[in-house]
Amino acid sequence: MIRRSVRRHFRTVYWSPPAEPILAPSILVPNHHGWFDGYLMYHVVTSLGLRSLDWIQEFDAFPLFSKVGGMPYPIDDPIKRAQTVRRTIRLMRDQARSLVLFAEGQLHPPPTLLSFGRALEVVASKVPSASIIPVAIRYEMSLHQRPEAYIGFAPPVPLGEDLAQRTRTAVATRLESLGQESRQSKESFNILVRGTLDVNERWDMRRFRNRSEKPAAD
């Protein structure tokens, strides 16, 4: 369902893979500017070979997400959230699971970033072996019928004081550079997902006309 939905709704999803392999366990920390962020991060962690977890506020509406690492994180139930945090830490320690953490805490419009919550520092302190990986996700909607997405990584953020703020700064910086790269050097990206071409690309009659005009074989 996730793969089909991304192919149907996007023209192309581009990414610049991380310069160095991301080892488990890791905490991948993306911005949260788009409804599809979770779906795109599923493609990312799958391509990176990471068995990952993801906290979902509306998990109870679609519990099948548990099959791909989704965990309940209801905004109105602190007890269940605490249970999810404890289970996440245990799975990261015992099974080297990674975590996709939307540290802003809520979906919101671009371009600004909200403050990062305490969850990042709490999990990092309990799993000090985890690498903190800032991730930038940018959406573009102008040149094609469907949007295009661009995903990039910043270098790991070392543990220490002000971890949340330093990670937020790294995400913001990478988000800005990602915008410049998407406009100036699109060919530098790899394709993460091939989506659906524009209607004029799919139904370009010149292809059929050129075929019909080819001379018959002797």
Side-chain angles (χ1 to χ4, degrees):
M1 183 202 73
I2 293 174
R3 294 184 184 278
R4 185 171 62 247
S5 184
V6 172
R7 288 196 304 267
R8 185 171 68 246
H9 287 92
F10 287 86
R11 182 182 183 275
T12 313
V13 178
Y14 297 95
W15 74 327
S16 293
E20 300 292 337
I22 296 178
L23 304 178
S26 291
I27 305 175
L28 291 88
V29 189
N31 54 295
H32 203 7
H33 288 156
W35 188 92
F36 276 96
D37 289 344
Y39 284 20
L40 297 186
M41 289 304 298
Y42 168 78
H43 282 82
V44 166
V45 297
T46 300
S47 295
L48 294 174
L50 297 174
R51 296 179 63 227
S52 297
L53 308 168
D54 183 8
W55 301 347
I56 303 175
Q57 287 188 5
E58 299 182 3
F59 175 86
D60 290 340
F62 201 71
L64 284 176
F65 279 125
S66 63
K67 301 298 183 182
V68 291
M71 302 176 73
Y73 201 72
I75 194 170
D76 58 350
D77 191 338
I79 294 177
K80 186 171 286 189
R81 289 202 307 273
Q83 291 173 341
T84 290
V85 172
R86 288 195 295 269
R87 183 164 178 251
T88 297
I89 293 169
R90 185 171 65 253
L91 289 171
M92 293 180 72
R93 287 173 171 173
D94 298 345
Q95 299 183 17
R97 301 288 286 271
S98 293
L99 172 65
V100 174
L101 177 61
F102 293 101
E104 294 174 278
Q106 60 180 295
L107 177 64
H108 67 97
T112 58
L113 294 179
L114 304 179
S115 298
F116 283 12
R118 289 187 61 252
L120 172 59
E121 294 180 342
V122 169
V123 176
S125 68
K126 299 297 184 180
V127 192
S129 61
S131 299
I132 313 301
I133 310 296
V135 184
I137 304 174
R138 184 180 181 89
Y139 298 95
E140 296 284 354
M141 181 66 191
S142 60
L143 301 181
H144 295 282
Q145 181 183 6
R146 290 170 175 79
E148 296 183 302
Y150 296 83
I151 302 170
F153 301 81
V157 178
L159 299 180
E161 294 293 325
D162 300 321
L163 175 63
Q165 181 57 43
R166 288 186 289 113
T167 305
R168 180 181 180 275
T169 298
V171 173
T173 301
R174 188 66 184 97
L175 196 57
E176 182 177 354
S177 65
L178 193 64
Q180 297 172 353
E181 293 166 16
S182 66
R183 291 187 295 269
Q184 298 173 2
S185 56
K186 196 174 195 176
E187 64 279 359
S188 66
F189 290 91
N190 295 344
I191 293 178
L192 181 63
V193 181
R194 294 185 183 275
T196 303
L197 295 176
D198 304 345
V199 65
N200 56 298
E201 295 172 314
R202 287 180 284 124
W203 292 95
D204 188 340
M205 292 301 167
R206 290 171 293 187
R207 292 180 299 168
F208 303 102
R209 187 162 58 247
N210 291 340
R211 289 175 189 171
S212 65
E213 292 174 354
K214 286 183 178 180
D218 293 337

